Amino acid sequence: MSSNKIFEIDNTKKIIILFAFIFFFVILLLTSIFRTVNDKKHSISLKAEKKELPVRGDIISEDNFKISTSKKLYRAEIDTRHISPEKKELFLNLFSIYSGIDYKTLKDKLTEGEKTPGNLVLSYSINSRSAKNLKELDFKLSQLGVFTARMVNGSKLVKRLTISESGEKRGFAYGNTLTPVIGYISKFETDNGKTKVNGVKGLEKYYNTYLNNVKDGILKGQRDVINYVSFDKNSEMTQRVDGATLNLNIPLKLQKNNETTLDNHKKKLNADEIIVAIMESKTGKILTMASSNRFNPESIRQEDIPNLNVNAVEYQFEPGSVVKPLSISLAMDKGLIKKNESFPAYNSGGGKGAYPIGRFTIKDDHKFTKSYLSLDDIVIFSSNIGTLQIAQRLTGPEFFEGMKKFGFGRKTGIDLPYEKKGLMPKIWQFSANDKDKRDNIFKATVSYGQGMTSTFIQLIKSYSVFNNDGVMVTPRIVDHITYDGQKYKPFDDKPEKIISKETALEMKRMLVKTVDEGTGRSARIPGLEIGGKTGTAQIARGGKYLKKYISSFVGFVNDDKGNSYTIGVTVFNPNSTGVNWYYYYASQSAVPVFKEIVQNLVKLNYLIPKEGIIQ
């Protein structure tokens, strides 16, 4: 074969080999490009999920004012390494304007943060409006060249202003109104670093589980090139569900009027505290539960600590004579009092009576000119001696169980935490001397409200019996709960029949007469049916009675339109010395407060006096 032929064959082989190499590299290049494109496409189309933070439920008054509400908080953060040094002042000035945060505070924080360059949280407590403004500011700052790029893992990266949910803040729009009943909260941090709150006292505590029953909002979709979740027809969205809303029976306007009344009388009486409650006699709905001692839940001070408890349900005290109608009713209901029966006054024909029981002598405060007392006399003029004689007709178990039925020694069931039960002697103590049919000192003292303790709310609940045909209702502050658009009743109360309708009506008649003629005379308001009973008791401490008093008036008011309320007032330690020493009597302290509370009900049209009556 010629040399030319061999040369041609060698050239052909070289060309084939060259093309083979070129083809191989083209395939490699195309494969690499395909993989890169595929990887980028895959990374862009990754599924993403974003959560929206829900907040604690609201507490709303009967007249639709938000007493307690939660608002979202947002965190604002930057990376100090991405702020252009030349534009730092521009950033600080604009951020201060848009966020409302003081310029110097921001500058100091940024200067401190630059000592250790990296992520810096400028605020954890940005409100919703400012957060929206700051998101708009982020775009403007980017256009103004405030943020600069850095090389990260071989790529240029720009980190801008980041606004994200940081938690919630509890707000109390009306300051100290409805405290301490509304309660207060404490903050805590969740596992994912969000700020949430829990109730510590009051309604915030009692309904904490309902108020914090929340569900995150969730958006699932494709993640775009700048790492945001894009929303399209294939996205999945679950609406956030905030905590349950408490809808109260208490109207804000009535509550505030009554709190003003208590504030004024506290000054006049120089009392430690005054509390009042208004309850619908037939439903148990609480329209007012007020104290003269209140606090701002958003700013609790050292001096506020004694006022944090709801003394209406947490403080136990000897109630005094307000118990007399209850113990007398027990004997009446068992037919142990004859019609038109009279009871000896033990006053030797006149003056104050004195009744001996063993080594004790029970005395009356009221002077009687006659030697025998009718049942009306005993109730209207508050005779200890007459009351204890009636109580002795009940056996120990009858008296014990009767007082239990009226609610003493057990919780009322009101929707507030830390409710106390009060204290009563044991059944065996009431039963001593039953076999011999001799007087029992425990029955005697408890019959007129000493030697036992009760809470204020127990008295309110028990007195509903006289204004509700012998039926006792459970006091309730919350009317219903609203959750995820649905209404719920968080309780199923069943009224209790305590005494017969006949007994209730007879005692009601005597309590009305007490206001017309007896110790409650200054509570009278023309055109309204008002009844009630005063009680003045000494404060006991360390087994001894102090020269300090608790004065109460518990009763009811009705108009001829069907409005019917049970109302109680208790004054803790009113003035008992000096020129106004007589303020410690319930007739001089609790009764005038009661009257003004009723006048507030009239003023706001919760009561309509009979027409033609001039007040």
Side-chain angles (χ1 to χ4, degrees):
M1 187 179 290
S2 67
S3 60
N4 288 338
K5 192 72 173 174
I6 293 170
F7 180 76
E8 288 176 4
I9 291 171
D10 287 343
N11 282 341
T12 302
K13 285 181 179 178
K14 288 178 181 177
I15 290 168
I16 290 171
I17 291 169
L18 178 62
F19 273 106
F21 271 111
I22 291 171
F23 179 77
F24 177 73
F25 280 116
V26 168
I27 293 297
L28 279 178
L29 179 62
L30 289 174
T31 302
S32 177
I33 292 170
F34 176 78
R35 283 178 177 175
T36 302
V37 170
N38 238 14
D39 287 345
K40 285 186 177 179
K41 184 179 179 183
H42 180 68
S43 66
I44 291 171
S45 63
L46 280 173
K47 291 273 185 181
E49 179 178 298
K50 180 185 177 184
K51 289 186 177 180
E52 183 186 13
L53 186 72
V55 295
R56 184 177 174 89
D58 296 332
I59 300 178
I60 299 179
S61 69
E62 187 273 340
D63 42 1
N64 210 33
F65 290 95
K66 287 186 179 180
I67 307 296
S68 179
T69 188
S70 284
K71 293 181 179 179
K72 279 191 190 181
L73 295 177
Y74 293 81
R75 175 173 57 240
E77 59 185 313
I78 56 166
D79 190 319
T80 56
R81 296 168 296 184
H82 287 266
I83 296 180
S84 170
E86 295 81 12
K87 302 289 180 71
K88 186 165 73 171
E89 282 298 314
L90 176 63
F91 171 79
L92 287 169
N93 279 295
L94 288 176
F95 190 92
S96 175
I97 293 168
Y98 276 70
S99 67
I101 299 174
D102 176 65
Y103 168 85
K104 186 178 184 307
T105 302
L106 285 171
K107 187 171 183 178
D108 291 345
K109 185 166 284 192
L110 184 58
T111 302
E112 186 66 27
E114 287 174 332
K115 294 178 181 178
T116 53
N119 281 337
L120 173 67
V121 177
L122 296 172
S123 176
Y124 285 98
S125 55
I126 302 290
N127 62 39
S128 297
R129 179 178 293 180
S130 295
K132 183 181 178 182
N133 292 339
L134 289 171
K135 287 177 183 178
E136 293 174 1
L137 176 63
D138 174 55
F139 179 72
K140 292 176 183 177
L141 291 173
S142 182
Q143 289 182 315
L144 293 169
V146 170
F147 304 112
T148 58
R150 291 176 58 247
M151 293 297 294
V152 179
N153 297 327
S155 301
K156 279 191 174 183
L157 178 69
V158 178
K159 290 186 75 174
R160 292 157 50 178
L161 179 62
T162 302
I163 308 298
S164 59
E165 295 172 341
S166 65
E168 66 178 287
K169 180 184 179 182
R170 197 71 166 163
F172 300 84
Y174 299 95
N176 66 12
T177 300
L178 200 54
T179 59
V181 169
I182 204 75
Y184 62 96
I185 51 88
S186 65
K187 298 177 184 178
F188 70 96
E189 193 169 294
T190 63
D191 293 338
N192 59 358
K194 307 295 185 186
T195 301
K196 302 288 284 181
V197 301
N198 273 326
V200 178
K201 293 283 286 186
L203 295 172
E204 294 276 12
K205 168 69 176 179
Y206 189 88
Y207 287 100
N208 188 64
T209 302
Y210 293 95
L211 290 165
N212 271 352
N213 187 15
V214 298
K215 296 177 185 175
D216 288 337
I218 300 175
L219 174 62
K220 293 181 180 179
Q222 303 296 322
R223 181 184 299 156
D224 61 21
V225 290
I226 56 173
N227 216 29
Y228 283 99
V229 181
S230 60
F231 184 74
D232 56 34
K233 65 179 182 180
N234 297 316
S235 301
E236 299 175 36
M237 186 172 69
T238 303
Q239 292 282 355
R240 86 182 204 222
V241 179
D242 292 334
T245 294
L246 305 186
N247 300 92
L248 307 185
N249 291 312
I250 298 175
L252 178 65
K253 192 171 184 180
L254 178 62
Q255 178 76 17
K256 288 183 76 69
N257 270 261
N258 290 332
E259 286 177 351
T260 299
T261 293
L262 298 191
D263 292 344
N264 293 336
H265 281 272
K266 182 186 176 184
K267 289 178 184 176
K268 175 186 174 182
L269 299 171
N270 194 29
D272 289 346
E273 183 181 12
I274 308 176
I275 54 178
V276 65
I278 303 172
M279 183 178 76
E280 287 187 358
S281 298
K282 300 188 186 323
T283 67
K285 290 182 178 182
I286 296 286
L287 271 64
T288 283
M289 184 170 283
S291 168
S292 61
N293 296 9
R294 302 184 298 280
F295 60 91
N296 185 344
E298 292 189 71
S299 179
I300 297 175
R301 304 163 300 175
Q302 184 73 25
E303 55 264 36
D304 292 326
I305 291 175
N307 303 333
L308 300 181
N309 293 339
V310 186
N311 284 334
V313 303
E314 295 182 58
Y315 185 75
Q316 303 169 113
F317 60 97
E318 287 192 352
S321 295
V322 290
V323 171
K324 290 174 182 174
L326 308 174
S327 53
I328 291 171
S329 294
L330 293 175
M332 288 171 61
D333 206 49
K334 291 188 175 295
L336 298 177
I337 303 173
K338 297 174 184 176
K339 189 175 181 180
N340 300 322
E341 184 176 0
S342 295
F343 301 83
Y346 289 88
N347 61 352
S348 302
K352 293 181 180 180
Y355 187 95
I357 300 182
R359 60 189 180 90
F360 302 98
T361 300
I362 312 298
K363 295 181 179 180
D364 266 339
D365 288 328
H366 185 82
K367 292 181 180 180
F368 291 99
T369 57
K370 49 189 177 181
S371 300
Y372 282 83
L373 308 176
S374 68
L375 187 57
D376 281 20
D377 291 331
I378 292 169
V379 175
I380 294 168
F381 299 107
S382 197
S383 169
N384 294 337
I385 292 172
T387 302
L388 73 84
Q389 290 180 76
I390 293 170
Q392 300 301 330
R393 297 181 178 185
L394 293 157
T395 66
E398 285 173 339
F399 189 82
F400 178 82
E401 293 301 331
M403 295 300 283
K404 278 276 192 181
K405 280 180 68 178
F406 266 115
F408 298 104
R410 62 185 175 114
K411 294 181 180 180
T412 65
I414 191 172
D415 41 349
L416 284 170
Y418 309 117
E419 183 185 4
K420 299 294 190 295
K421 297 189 295 185
L423 299 171
M424 267 207 314
K426 306 297 183 185
I427 190 169
W428 63 266
Q429 292 174 302
F430 285 127
S431 301
N433 301 334
D434 269 5
K435 289 183 180 179
D436 301 330
K437 294 187 177 181
R438 290 187 291 115
D439 289 337
N440 178 288
I441 189 61
F442 294 102
K443 276 189 285 189
T445 56
V446 170
S447 73
Y448 54 81
Q450 291 185 9
M452 61 168 289
T453 63
S454 74
T455 63
F456 173 79
I457 198 63
Q458 284 176 326
L459 298 173
I460 301 293
K461 182 175 182 177
S462 65
Y463 264 70
S464 68
V465 170
F466 304 130
N467 207 31
N468 194 28
D469 296 336
V471 174
M472 190 164 68
V473 293
T474 300
R476 290 293 181 186
I477 298 171
V478 171
D479 179 69
H480 64 275
I481 286 175
T482 306
Y483 181 67
D484 199 13
Q486 301 293 320
K487 288 184 179 181
Y488 302 92
K489 286 281 187 182
F491 38 76
D492 182 24
D493 297 325
K494 293 179 173 59
E496 300 175 74
K497 186 72 173 178
I498 307 301
I499 53 178
S500 69
K501 180 179 179 179
E502 293 72 26
T503 300
L505 289 174
E506 179 60 11
M507 182 53 70
K508 180 179 180 179
R509 178 192 67 78
M510 287 187 279
L511 291 173
V512 170
K513 198 171 179 182
T514 301
V515 170
D516 289 339
E517 302 176 15
T519 55
R521 283 190 301 276
S522 55
R524 288 178 297 180
I525 295 178
L528 295 172
E529 180 184 53
I530 299 176
K533 183 73 186 72
T534 54
T536 302
Q538 282 183 273
I539 296 174
R541 193 166 296 157
K544 295 181 179 180
Y545 285 106
L546 309 178
K547 283 198 171 182
K548 294 183 176 183
Y549 300 87
I550 296 176
S551 303
S552 300
F553 186 77
V554 187
F556 50 83
V557 57
N558 305 308
D559 62 17
D560 60 359
K561 307 295 182 185
N563 299 305
S564 176
Y565 306 106
T566 300
I567 303 174
V569 175
T570 292
V571 183
F572 294 96
N573 193 28
N575 181 61
S576 59
T577 59
V579 177
N580 298 316
W581 62 270
Y582 52 87
Y583 279 170
Y584 80 90
Y585 285 119
S587 59
Q588 302 297 320
S589 53
V591 175
V593 176
F594 181 99
K595 181 175 184 176
E596 193 167 325
I597 296 299
V598 174
Q599 288 171 331
N600 289 342
L601 287 168
V602 173
K603 181 171 63 176
L604 296 175
N605 296 317
Y606 290 91
L607 286 167
I608 313 295
K610 287 180 183 178
E611 293 182 9
I613 302 293
I614 300 174
Q615 298 185 53

